[in-house]
Amino acid sequence: HDFAGLKRYAVNAIMISVAFSLVVGLLVSCLCRTFLVWMNTPADIIDDAFAYLFVIFLGIPVVMLYNVLFGIIRSMGDSRTPVLYLVVASLINVALDLLLIVVFHTGVEGAAIATLLSRVAAVAGITALLQWLMSDLNNRITFGVVRDVRRDAFEKLQILPLSYIDSHPTGEIVSRVIADVDQFADGL
């Protein structure tokens, strides 16, 4: 497994998608009313359509990040977790819709804000999961390397000449190996 390559790919994908989506999000947000006019949106709903789309378009970077992060999780062989996060985000969206529209009377802007906030919650959750997975993977790799180094050191100790072992106290040799391997492990 190429851990460094995976990390590099993930960071590059995230950076490129966020940069691209910021440009696109700002551009379409600024042109939102123009698009609605070009589509001959009826005058009685154009203000509500603009209010909704403006918020949704500003949230394009969140949606892009959401999709990239879910893609990373799926590429690691886990297709169930993104679906679970999607279900939770949908439930959050419904709850926020009810709160913002029914309780606070925010109308279509409230619906757009609820959608955006539910996606932000999903991104925060999947980011936390990815950080935990990367930490876990790093710990597993470190543990494997240290285990291999300890095994190799023990094999080397067993083939040391008796004259070396006789001239050095056993505890000194063992503590030296342990200290060196621990210092190596700390560097990983």
Side-chain angles (χ1 to χ4, degrees):
H1 298 287
D2 183 13
F3 178 66
L6 171 65
K7 204 170 172 181
R8 187 173 47 252
Y9 166 77
V11 169
N12 286 339
I14 290 167
M15 298 303 279
I16 289 169
S17 66
V18 167
F20 178 74
S21 63
L22 279 172
V23 172
V24 170
L26 288 173
L27 182 65
V28 295
S29 292
C30 292
L31 297 173
C32 183
R33 185 166 293 277
T34 305
F35 292 149
L36 290 170
V37 170
W38 287 347
M39 293 187 311
N40 295 322
T41 305
D44 59 329
I45 64 166
I46 196 165
D47 290 334
D48 285 339
F50 174 76
Y52 182 84
L53 289 175
F54 185 78
V55 173
I56 293 297
F57 287 159
L58 284 178
I60 286 176
V62 174
V63 174
M64 182 70 96
L65 188 57
Y66 174 91
N67 288 323
V68 169
L69 293 175
F70 283 0
I72 291 169
I73 293 290
R74 283 191 300 272
S75 74
M76 295 169 66
D78 182 2
S79 60
R80 186 172 35 171
T81 300
V83 172
L84 293 175
Y85 276 88
L86 187 59
V87 168
V88 170
S90 297
L91 293 173
I92 291 171
N93 189 14
V94 169
L96 288 174
D97 277 340
L98 292 172
L99 179 70
L100 293 174
I101 297 170
V102 175
V103 176
F104 293 114
H105 307 289
T106 56
V108 294
E109 273 182 321
I113 292 168
T115 300
L116 184 57
L117 290 177
S118 68
R119 289 177 182 167
V120 167
V123 166
I126 206 74
T127 300
L129 176 66
L130 279 172
Q131 286 176 339
W132 179 82
L133 287 174
M134 291 301 225
S135 175
D136 183 58
L137 182 60
N138 190 35
N139 288 341
R140 288 174 192 247
I141 290 169
T142 300
F143 177 77
V145 169
V146 170
R147 182 195 60 226
D148 293 346
V149 168
R150 284 188 176 142
R151 185 189 63 237
D152 292 347
F154 182 70
E155 288 173 3
K156 299 289 187 227
L157 284 174
Q158 290 187 354
I159 61 171
L160 284 175
L162 288 177
S163 61
Y164 181 82
I165 293 174
D166 286 341
S167 65
H168 295 82
T170 307
E172 178 184 313
I173 296 170
V174 172
S175 67
R176 176 73 189 261
V177 168
I178 290 171
D180 288 349
V181 170
D182 286 345
Q183 187 176 14
F184 174 75
D186 290 341
L188 292 176

